[in-house]
Amino acid sequence: MTTEELAESLGVTKQTVNRWVRKQGWKTEGLNGVKGGRARLIHIDAHVREHISRLPAIRNRQAVYQLAETPGFYGDTNTTSLLRQVTSALENMTTLEQERLAVLLAREGIQGFLTRLGIAEEQA
């Protein structure tokens, strides 16, 4: 990335990025065709990523994303007996039977499926 691209993505000035390049000794290479010949490309390696990840603005940005994420629940979900029975029946079906059931559900929907089983509620 150029210093300007990195600065823009991090929300800092080009001068700040140039200071990091000098202080941290980041790998760079000259960018030809730029007036003054001072434009540089920064190699984004592990050293650069580590420095960026320690910036307070980046840590806070990541914390916001983490807070917005709903935590997953990996314990016993107290499933009902019916759900366990249905799950068990599906697991005991052959692959071909599972595929046919999937086609039936896609074609007729849950109401058609329940009607075929003879357990659909009567429509008023």
Side-chain angles (χ1 to χ4, degrees), residues 2-62:
T2 64
T3 54
E4 188 171 78
E5 291 169 336
L6 185 57
E8 186 177 316
S9 69
L10 296 174
V12 297
T13 64
K14 290 186 297 184
Q15 292 80 5
T16 300
V17 172
N18 284 324
R19 187 178 68 235
W20 292 339
V21 168
R22 284 190 310 276
K23 281 186 172 182
Q24 303 292 324
W26 293 350
K27 274 189 186 178
T28 63
E29 63 183 72
L31 186 62
N32 294 330
V34 177
K35 188 176 179 179
R38 298 182 70 193
R40 316 250 347 126
L41 285 175
I42 301 170
H43 295 265
I44 308 298
D45 57 13
H47 185 67
V48 174
R49 285 190 191 106
E50 181 183 337
H51 178 78
I52 290 170
S53 69
R54 285 187 275 133
L55 297 173
I58 299 300
R59 282 197 318 266
N60 292 341
R61 185 183 309 166
Q62 290 171 347

Side-chain angles (χ1 to χ4, degrees), residues 60-111:
N60 292 341
R61 185 183 309 166
Q62 290 171 347
V64 168
Y65 291 137
Q66 290 168 354
L67 289 175
E69 196 173 304
T70 305
F73 183 74
Y74 298 104
D76 182 23
T77 57
N78 293 329
T79 56
T80 64
S81 175
L82 176 62
L83 182 57
R84 282 192 300 273
Q85 288 176 318
V86 170
T87 302
S88 176
L90 290 171
E91 289 172 345
N92 288 318
M93 293 172 75
T94 66
T95 303
L96 181 59
E97 290 169 334
Q98 290 175 0
E99 289 171 2
R100 287 180 178 168
L101 178 59
V103 169
L104 174 79
L105 288 170
R107 183 180 63 234
E108 298 192 22
I110 194 71
Q111 190 62 38

